[in-house]
């Protein structure tokens, strides 16, 4: 690229696939990769997967019209139409919050839950306030107030609102 420094991003940093490993070595030669592993992590991420019975999968859309790639927006819009699927999905989120946030809670900890649609954020906020009446639960989407979001302990947002260029300072 004829530049002194390059920042390369990939969604597949760690892999067991030998082809991808070879491509990483070509694109990111070991002698050119920043290797300082003393970066202070300030958050943990927990990807969650869930099974869905075949009968239910037929009801749920995971792609947008004229597309064959997965869309979480299409998924959320689809399950919002079926109360029993929505209930099950929200319970999965509650179980995850219980296991990874409530159970190991330390003072000033926060949890951010990312959803794709504002409608899902509103639905989830309503349920979270019932499940966790002692927690400060806030939505941070579109025109919501940044300072109010900072006060939240459980924050529900979209990747476009909280996931891009927004800092939630370490308040400890």
């Amino acid at each position: 690229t004829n530049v002194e420094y390059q920042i390369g991003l990939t969604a597949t940093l760690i892999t067991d696939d030998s082809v991808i490993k070879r491509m990483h070595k070509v694109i990111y030669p070991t002698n050119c990769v920043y290797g300082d592993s003393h970066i202070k992590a300030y958050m943990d991420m927990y990807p969650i997967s869930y099974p869905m019975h075949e009968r239910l999968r037929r009801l749920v859309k995971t792609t947008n019209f004229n597309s064959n790639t997965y869309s979480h927006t299409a998924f959320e819009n689809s399950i919002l139409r079926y109360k029993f699927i929505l209930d099950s999905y929200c319970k999965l989120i509650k179980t995850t919050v219980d296991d990874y946030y409530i159970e190991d809670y330390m003072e000033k900890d926060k949890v951010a839950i990312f959803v794709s649609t504002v409608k899902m954020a509103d639905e989830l906020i309503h349920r979270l306030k019932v499940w966790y009446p002692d927690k400060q639960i806030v939505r941070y989407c579109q025109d919501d107030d940044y300072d109010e979001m900072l006060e939240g302990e459980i924050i529900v947002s979209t990747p476009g609102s909280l996931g891009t260029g927004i800092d939630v300072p370490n308040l400890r």
Side-chain angles (χ1 to χ4, degrees):
T1 58
N2 198 28
V3 294
E4 187 174 354
Y5 298 104
Q6 171 186 332
I7 298 175
L9 302 175
T10 175
T12 315
L13 290 174
I14 301 171
T15 182
D16 291 330
D17 186 307
S18 61
V19 173
I20 293 176
K21 282 183 177 181
R22 267 196 329 270
M23 291 307 298
H24 278 178
K25 288 183 180 183
V26 169
I27 298 169
Y28 311 110
T30 307
N31 65 327
C32 295
V33 174
Y34 179 72
D36 185 4
S37 62
H38 301 291
I39 297 171
K40 181 181 177 191
Y42 59 92
M43 66 191 263
D44 293 319
M45 296 201 58
Y46 299 98
I48 305 297
S49 62
Y50 45 92
M52 185 177 283
H53 192 276
E54 179 64 32
R55 276 183 306 130
L56 299 179
R57 275 197 303 251
R58 282 187 241 139
L59 298 174
V60 176
K61 304 272 188 254
T62 58
T63 60
N64 289 313
F65 182 72
N66 271 350
S67 174
N68 61 357
T69 59
Y70 177 81
S71 165
H72 201 70
T73 301
F75 172 77
E76 285 182 6
N77 285 332
S78 182
I79 68 170
L80 282 164
R81 291 184 284 148
Y82 298 103
K83 185 181 179 333
F84 61 98
I85 298 174
L86 177 63
D87 289 345
S88 179
Y89 184 72
C90 288
K91 285 178 187 169
L92 169 77
I93 293 171
K94 180 189 185 306
T95 300
T96 304
V97 170
D98 287 346
D99 290 348
Y100 295 101
Y101 175 69
I102 299 296
E103 195 172 289
D104 298 327
Y105 180 79
M106 292 173 47
E107 187 178 351
K108 296 194 179 183
D109 273 356
K110 294 177 181 282
V111 63
I113 302 169
F114 288 96
V115 296
S116 290
T117 64
V118 174
K119 190 171 181 181
M120 180 61 85
D122 291 338
E123 179 67 39
L124 198 51
I125 284 287
H126 171 73
R127 292 168 186 251
L128 290 167
K129 287 183 177 183
V130 171
W131 292 330
Y132 308 107
D134 59 323
K135 297 290 183 193
Q136 180 67 26
I137 299 166
V138 298
R139 183 189 86 161
Y140 186 66
C141 301
Q142 295 175 330
D143 297 326
D144 292 338
D145 186 72
Y146 175 78
D147 291 328
E148 187 176 309
M149 179 272 298
L150 291 177
E151 298 298 317
E153 295 174 279
I154 299 176
I155 305 161
V156 179
S157 187
T158 61
S161 295
L162 186 61
T164 308
I166 300 294
D167 190 28
V168 179
N170 184 352
L171 302 174
R172 287 186 191 195

